[in-house]
Amino acid sequence: MAENKGYAHPEVLVDADWVEAHLNDPNVRLIEVDVDTSAYEQGHIPGAVGFNWQKELQDQVIRAPISKEQLEDLLSRSGVSNDTTVILYGDNNNWFAAWAFWLLKYYGHKDVRLLDGGRAKWVAEQRPLTTEVPSYPRTEYHAEEPHREVRAFRDDVLSKLGDSQVALVDVRSPGEYKGELLAPPNLPQEGAQRGGHIPGAKNIPWASAVREDGTFKSADELRAIYESQGITGDKEIIAYCRIGERSSHTWFALRYLLGYPNVRNYDGSWTEWGSLVGVPIEK
């Protein structure tokens, strides 16, 4: 198990040593989810299944995560049972791995964890990689009905504006928060009609939560970062970014590492809010 840094739920993180020791464990399924959907093909942890977030984790018609039935089919095809320990990892310090973690919790999977440091740390330590794509016997996975308490919709956010007991966390870059950019600097500047941030939101970029090697900071370090901006465990917290993946990373840190009881991810995020007609925006 990963080093205990004072987390409320240390069991949701594993380190590379733990993963390497469980590469042949039939009760463990490694799943790689990358921003760069070609990364898996270039080499992945032996035995890991690759999920394409664009094609397999979001609905292809409406803007939404995949349905309960679609998730059941995907996990069944990947040899995942309801009692499987799922280990997620990916590039960009686990952006979309954290989003997949959020998605699995949304549908009630019990034992899901992140590889601390993600793909980059595994590669940096010269641990084994392969291009062989594994195949597992199909299971009959049964997802739960959506756990609404981990997800926020636009109307939830609108209804909470100005509420002192609700804390909004904008985890994007300062340039996006100020309305100077519509997306991270290295990406096409598209996705929303207007720039800025939701009124009252505090800007705490997602990367504040990790160290240089991509592993999460200690609970004391995380608590100091968020509490300094009024993000405390006694409040209802809603995190957002541009499309919901970076905010999943922050949601994970707040909900599982710090143990804040009421944290939701607004996966519509700025792509939705910045294109709505008439909603308030600050710059």
Side-chain angles (χ1 to χ4, degrees):
M1 192 62 63
E3 171 195 357
N4 189 340
K5 302 174 187 173
Y7 300 141
H9 298 282
E11 71 277 4
V12 297
L13 280 177
V14 294
D15 60 18
D17 288 339
W18 190 96
V19 170
E20 196 157 0
H22 288 80
L23 287 181
N24 298 311
D25 188 334
N27 297 315
V28 173
R29 180 69 69 248
L30 287 160
I31 300 175
E32 179 169 336
V33 191
D34 300 305
V35 178
D36 175 5
T37 56
S38 69
Y40 175 83
E41 301 168 0
Q42 300 166 27
H44 49 267
I45 299 176
V49 174
F51 285 174
N52 183 313
W53 69 269
Q54 293 174 316
K55 296 178 180 179
E56 294 179 301
L57 295 182
Q58 59 178 355
D59 190 280
Q60 296 300 292
V61 178
I62 62 173
R63 185 167 177 235
I66 54 175
S67 69
K68 174 177 177 284
E69 293 73 23
Q70 289 169 322
L71 180 74
E72 288 174 334
D73 180 61
L74 178 63
L75 293 181
S76 295
R77 286 189 280 116
S78 304
V80 175
S81 301
N82 286 79
D83 58 355
T84 298
T85 296
V86 174
I87 309 298
L88 291 156
Y89 74 97
D91 61 3
N92 280 40
N93 293 335
N94 284 330
W95 275 13
F96 276 100
W99 189 70
F101 183 106
W102 171 78
L103 182 63
L104 287 181
K105 286 300 184 183
Y106 183 59
Y107 286 115
H109 192 77
K110 295 297 186 289
D111 191 358
V112 53
R113 315 177 192 184
L114 285 182
L115 169 56
D116 202 13
R119 177 185 172 94
K121 194 169 192 297
W122 184 274
V123 172
E125 294 176 356
Q126 299 183 325
R127 294 180 185 264
L129 292 171
T130 183
T131 56
E132 182 179 347
V133 177
S135 177
Y136 297 104
R138 185 180 177 91
T139 62
E140 288 299 325
Y141 188 88
H142 298 285
E144 297 179 2
E145 292 301 317
H147 286 244
R148 181 70 169 73
E149 71 275 7
V150 306
R151 188 180 187 192
F153 292 87
R154 64 186 183 191
D155 290 344
D156 300 324
V157 179
L158 268 171
S159 69
K160 302 293 185 180
L161 294 183
D163 188 333
S164 62
Q165 293 305 304
V166 178
L168 292 169
V169 186
D170 186 321
V171 315
R172 298 174 299 162
S173 65
E176 292 170 273
Y177 178 79
K178 295 174 184 175
E180 298 164 354
L181 300 170
L182 292 177
N186 60 317
L187 295 179
Q189 295 301 303
E190 58 188 18
Q193 296 295 309
R194 296 290 184 270
H197 58 268
I198 300 174
K202 299 295 185 181
N203 185 212
I204 308 176
W206 70 275
S208 304
V210 296
R211 297 171 173 169
E212 286 188 11
D213 64 357
T215 59
F216 283 97
K217 294 177 179 176
S218 70
D220 286 343
E221 291 171 307
L222 292 172
R223 197 172 293 109
I225 291 166
Y226 293 107
E227 288 186 354
S228 70
Q229 296 291 322
I231 311 303
T232 52
D234 59 336
K235 294 179 180 177
E236 177 183 347
I237 301 167
I238 299 174
Y240 74 93
C241 57
R242 184 177 70 110
I243 58 174
E245 87 292 9
R246 287 176 286 174
S247 49
S248 297
H249 190 276
T250 296
W251 168 85
F252 175 88
L254 293 171
R255 174 66 184 86
Y256 288 94
L257 303 188
L258 291 183
Y260 288 1
N262 192 356
V263 188
R264 290 191 281 171
N265 182 33
Y266 172 32
D267 57 304
S269 282
W270 195 256
T271 293
E272 178 175 53
W273 193 272
S275 295
L276 289 172
V277 175
V279 297
I281 290 175
E282 289 182 349
K283 289 193 175 185

